[in-house]
């Protein structure tokens, strides 16, 4: 059993969350897009810009030395703000990343569950995300109750009804 803990994300987690956006952008084996290239994309910038806004909610996983090893968070986007998984105003979009050494040990699933529980508790009816075709994370999202609601530009938008 991997030794990690989960805590709510705080304003000073912004730099680590930015690292997780870079991990998410480099999910493909062998991908090495550096941080400046990733954040030249306004969509990538939008996932962390101004963290932590009032409606921003997230969780950070920590190793035994209290160092961050993964994070999942959501934020709200407006219809005119670029975000890959936008479905409607008022539906938060989930972003997730786990450091390579810690993948496939249950950290991502644990973070997702904490986040979807928090979204439900905050009163949201749905939560959305975007995943590129071929990413194994698709299987994780399906198994956590997300379903594909649209496809564009090699990406699926997946939504979970929180009910
Ligand atoms: C996607 C990611 C967040 C998942 O977190 P994780 O901690 O690795 O995932 P978990 O260990 O909780 O695994 C959950 C499920 O993902 C799938 N999975 C995990 N690792 C996998 C692998 N190497 N190959 C295939 N499927 C895998 C499985 O369905 C697994 O469920 P199971 O353990 O019941 O079989 C993480 O791997 C990651 O950061 N990847 C790179 C960035 C990325 O792709 N981000 C998402 C962009 S949309």
């Amino acid at each position: 059993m991997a030794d990690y803990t989960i805590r709510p994300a705080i304003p000073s987690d912004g730099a680590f969350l930015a690292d997780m956006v870079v991990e998410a952008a480099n999910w493909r084996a062998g991908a090495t897009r550096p941080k400046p290239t990733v954040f030249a994309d306004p969509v990538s910038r939008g996932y962390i810009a101004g963290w932590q806004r009032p409606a921003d909610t997230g969780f950070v996983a920590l190793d035994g030395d209290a160092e961050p090893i993964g994070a999942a968070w959501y934020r709200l986007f407006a219809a005119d703000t670029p975000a890959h998984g936008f479905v409607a105003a008022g539906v938060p979009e989930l972003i997730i990343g786990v450091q390579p050494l810690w993948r496939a040990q249950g950290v991502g699933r644990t973070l997702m569950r904490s986040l979807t529980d928090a979204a439900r508790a905050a009163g949201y009816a749905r939560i959305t995300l975007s995943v590129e075709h071929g990413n194994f994370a698709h299987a994780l999202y399906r198994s956590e109750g997300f379903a594909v609601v649209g496809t564009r530009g090699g990406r699926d938008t997946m939504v979970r009804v929180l009910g």
Side-chain angles (χ1 to χ4, degrees):
M1 189 71 184
D3 176 22
Y4 65 90
T5 54
I6 304 277
R7 64 152 171 78
I10 54 177
S12 58
D13 289 321
F16 180 71
L17 269 45
D19 289 345
M20 295 302 97
V21 172
V22 175
E23 290 296 340
N26 284 307
W27 67 269
R28 224 178 275 275
T32 54
R33 291 170 66 203
K35 204 168 187 170
T37 306
V38 171
F39 287 115
D41 172 14
V43 176
S44 295
R45 286 202 301 276
Y47 287 138
I48 49 137
W51 178 269
Q52 183 174 24
R53 296 178 187 146
D56 290 343
T57 299
F59 291 88
V60 174
L62 307 171
D63 68 12
D65 296 322
E67 293 296 326
I69 57 170
W73 66 101
Y74 66 67
R75 70 184 348 191
L76 291 166
F77 294 93
D80 60 357
T81 311
H84 289 305
F86 182 84
V87 288
V91 179
E93 181 165 339
L94 177 153
I95 305 101
I96 186 168
V98 173
Q99 285 192 336
L101 278 175
W102 280 88
R103 290 180 192 160
Q105 298 173 65
V107 177
R109 192 184 293 283
T110 303
L111 284 166
M112 284 198 82
R113 289 185 177 172
S114 297
L115 194 68
T116 49
D117 286 351
R120 188 182 298 108
Y124 293 111
R126 293 183 292 166
I127 187 165
T128 185
L129 60 80
S130 173
V131 59
E132 286 183 82
H133 293 164
N135 190 336
F136 72 74
H138 214 284
L140 166 62
Y141 303 150
R142 258 198 323 272
S143 71
E144 287 297 317
F146 286 79
V148 176
V149 298
T151 299
R152 91 178 155 253
R155 295 179 154 272
D156 286 335
T157 298
M158 300 181 78
V159 168
R160 177 172 171 182
V161 176
L162 295 168

